[in-house]
Amino acid sequence: MNEKKITKQYGAIAFLPLIIFLALYIGSGLYFTFTGAEDAFKQFPRHVALMIGIGIALLMNRTMKLDEKIEVFSKNAGNSGVMLIGLIYLLAGGFQGAARSMGGVDSVVNMGLSFIPPALLIPGVFAMSSFIATSIGTSMGTVAAMAPIAIGVAAKADLNVAIACAAVIGGAYFGDNLSIISDTTISATKGVGCEMKDKFKMNFFIALPAALITMGIYAFIGGSGQIEGDLSYSIIKIVPYIVVLITAMIGFNVVGVLIIGIIMSGAIGLATNSINFLGFIQAVGTGMEEMMSITILAILVSGLIGLVKHYGGIDWLIEKITSSIKDRKGAEYGIGLLAGLLSMSLVNNTIAIIISAPIAKEIGFKFNISPKRLASLLDIFACALLSICPHDGAMLITTGLAGISPIEVLQYAFYPILLLLSTVITIQFGLLRTKEEKEYIKASKVS
């Protein structure tokens, strides 16, 4: 009834709770980074920072009763879209835990390494990291698995270790960007309302040229080397990953896909005596626990964004952004930069997407940008810009293991730069637009 009054009263100030959350989380992270603390961004727990922001939001707008504000928060935090995201997060974690426990990750890694030619070691590392990340849905998990191998092989073959590190990171983000069980993909698709398979196709055609050119450059400058050691693997243990990828690609419900993956992983683990039943159940539980933090965060952020929107903040932001945007190109650049800058600031691409997706959805509706395009832009910019940050987790792991500086690795970080270039070309020349988008643009020109 008095929505207009609230919007007029608060405007930009409605974002104060979100700004306080970001300031506390980012500010403390930077402070502890400069003081040399370990796990700097974990010293001030992000959930605590977020709860402080929520507390500020509940104190605002004295014209509303506290019960009414809590009701707004709860409705947005518990809407069906957010609950679905949480369910998918937990099932994705359960699948990752189940597959890992029966030796799936080791088999994926070893199979890929077995097929890398000595003359194409560095591009092979990139391709292998891409395959692993697409399969297991996590860039950090991929880096943790591949970095020690790639660094050890590069050092033994007297190759440039920095190039090997860049190949691992680039490949990990390429795969994570495409994986249907990645938390960034889940957040982007469900946040803007598109199907996983549609986002995958859009994302794939934008990212593939960048990946191929990157591999070509690595083949030219990378040198050659031989991977040695025990590379035994079991094809049957890789099957759950393949089934999950294929069933998701043909449009099967992602919840059903992940349940199938969990059951298959358990059945294969029991059949091969890789794990007992209790061990399988515990592995699923552990995997879910690993995703619990991001699940709770998504719920709380959604509730906070709901309050910000109720106070008129989202309407104010969209009005300000769209008033300075002349066309849909500007809208697409704005959406991408919003996700990318938040990702760099938060050092977490998933949180950045969770925060920016509702805003992107509103802007996309106004400029008739398809949901799959929105999801791709959010995921690409959030991943690409984060991957070139010296303080990114993947960068810290690889440089720590290799004993080199991030600057040395960034010299060879071709993939994120080429990915951004490919995305800019796609936006600038209107590539990969849907039939509906083209008809809308045509109608707009006529009118």
Side-chain angles (χ1 to χ4, degrees):
M1 180 171 67
N2 52 355
E3 183 78 22
K4 290 184 179 179
K5 181 181 178 182
I6 294 172
T7 302
K8 184 178 179 181
Q9 181 182 354
Y10 282 93
I13 300 175
F15 282 97
L16 181 62
L18 190 60
I19 292 170
I20 289 174
F21 156 57
L22 296 176
L24 287 173
Y25 181 53
I26 297 171
S28 63
L30 292 175
Y31 170 77
F32 287 113
T33 297
F34 291 137
T35 58
E38 188 176 349
D39 294 327
F41 278 83
K42 294 181 179 179
Q43 296 297 319
F44 195 119
R46 61 193 181 195
H47 295 87
V48 176
L50 184 53
M51 287 303 298
I52 293 173
I54 292 170
I56 298 297
L58 293 175
L59 290 173
M60 293 173 65
N61 191 13
R62 298 290 181 86
T63 61
M64 286 181 69
K65 293 181 179 179
L66 179 60
D67 289 348
E68 294 174 337
K69 288 182 274 190
I70 293 175
E71 179 70 14
V72 171
F73 175 86
S74 301
K75 281 185 176 179
N76 285 273
N79 72 62
S80 60
V82 177
M83 290 299 101
L84 180 58
I85 289 175
L87 178 60
I88 294 172
Y89 279 159
L90 294 177
L91 288 173
F95 172 63
Q96 291 172 10
R100 182 172 59 234
S101 69
M102 61 89 176
V105 174
D106 292 336
S107 286
V108 168
V109 172
N110 289 345
M111 186 188 75
L113 293 175
S114 300
F115 290 101
I116 298 179
L120 298 174
L121 181 64
I122 301 300
V125 166
F126 179 91
M128 193 59 241
S129 292
S130 302
F131 175 67
I132 295 171
T134 304
S135 300
I136 68 176
T138 163
S139 56
M140 291 301 293
T142 300
V143 170
M146 277 296 295
I149 298 171
I151 292 168
V153 170
K156 189 172 183 179
D158 200 27
L159 301 178
N160 189 324
V161 174
I163 297 180
C165 291
V168 170
I169 296 172
Y173 274 106
F174 172 70
D176 184 43
N177 199 210
L178 295 175
S179 176
I180 61 100
I181 61 171
S182 165
D183 49 5
T184 58
T185 299
I186 295 168
S187 301
T189 54
K190 299 307 174 186
V192 301
C194 84
E195 295 293 328
M196 295 249 184
K197 62 173 183 173
D198 295 331
K199 186 263 185 186
F200 178 91
K201 293 173 185 175
M202 173 73 72
N203 218 144
F204 179 77
F205 287 117
I206 296 174
L208 183 61
L212 293 176
I213 295 172
T214 298
M215 291 176 67
I217 296 172
Y218 285 150
F220 182 72
I221 68 173
S224 61
Q226 183 71 47
I227 298 176
E228 300 176 351
D230 180 19
L231 298 178
S232 59
Y233 60 91
S234 172
I235 290 292
I236 194 173
K237 293 182 178 181
I238 300 171
V239 170
Y241 293 114
I242 298 172
V243 170
V244 164
L245 181 60
I246 292 175
T247 51
M249 283 298 299
I250 62 177
F252 198 71
N253 183 281
V254 68
V255 172
V257 167
L258 292 170
I259 291 174
I260 290 171
I262 291 171
I263 293 172
M264 285 191 67
S265 297
I268 291 171
L270 293 171
T272 57
N273 291 319
S274 302
I275 192 172
N276 58 36
F277 180 74
L278 186 58
F280 161 68
I281 296 299
Q282 291 173 346
V284 172
T286 300
M288 288 183 172
E289 286 177 5
E290 290 171 355
M291 297 295 281
M292 192 67 74
S293 176
I294 195 66
T295 301
I296 298 300
L297 191 80
I299 293 171
L300 295 178
V301 167
S302 182
L304 178 56
I305 293 293
L307 281 172
V308 171
K309 184 175 182 179
H310 191 77
Y311 294 162
I314 300 297
D315 291 336
W316 173 85
L317 180 62
I318 292 170
E319 182 183 348
K320 288 297 180 183
I321 292 176
T322 54
S323 64
S324 60
I325 292 174
K326 305 299 181 183
D327 52 25
R328 57 179 287 129
K329 287 182 185 178
E332 290 178 353
Y333 284 126
I335 289 166
L337 287 174
L338 173 64
L341 293 175
L342 275 174
S343 184
M344 296 174 75
S345 302
L346 293 166
V347 201
N348 191 305
N349 46 4
T350 304
I351 301 176
I353 292 171
I354 290 172
I355 293 172
S356 53
I359 300 170
K361 187 175 182 179
E362 296 285 347
I363 296 173
F365 178 77
K366 180 167 185 176
F367 287 93
N368 198 51
I369 304 171
S370 68
K372 65 180 180 181
R373 195 175 184 91
L374 291 174
S376 296
L377 291 173
L378 288 171
D379 208 349
I380 287 172
F381 276 91
C383 286
L385 291 179
L386 179 61
S387 69
I388 57 175
C389 290
H391 55 284
D392 175 39
M395 182 70 73
L396 294 176
I397 289 175
T398 52
T399 53
L401 290 171
I404 57 178
S405 74
I407 302 301
E408 293 177 79
V409 176
L410 287 173
Q411 295 178 63
Y412 304 101
F414 304 119
Y415 174 69
I417 304 302
L418 289 169
L419 176 60
L420 290 171
L421 178 61
S422 178
T423 309
V424 167
I425 291 172
T426 301
I427 294 173
Q428 199 63 33
F429 294 97
L431 305 179
L432 301 176
R433 283 177 177 164
T434 64
K435 181 181 178 181
E436 292 76 16
E437 287 177 317
K438 292 176 182 177
E439 289 175 351
Y440 173 83
I441 293 169
K442 186 177 179 181
S444 300
K445 289 180 179 178
V446 172
S447 60

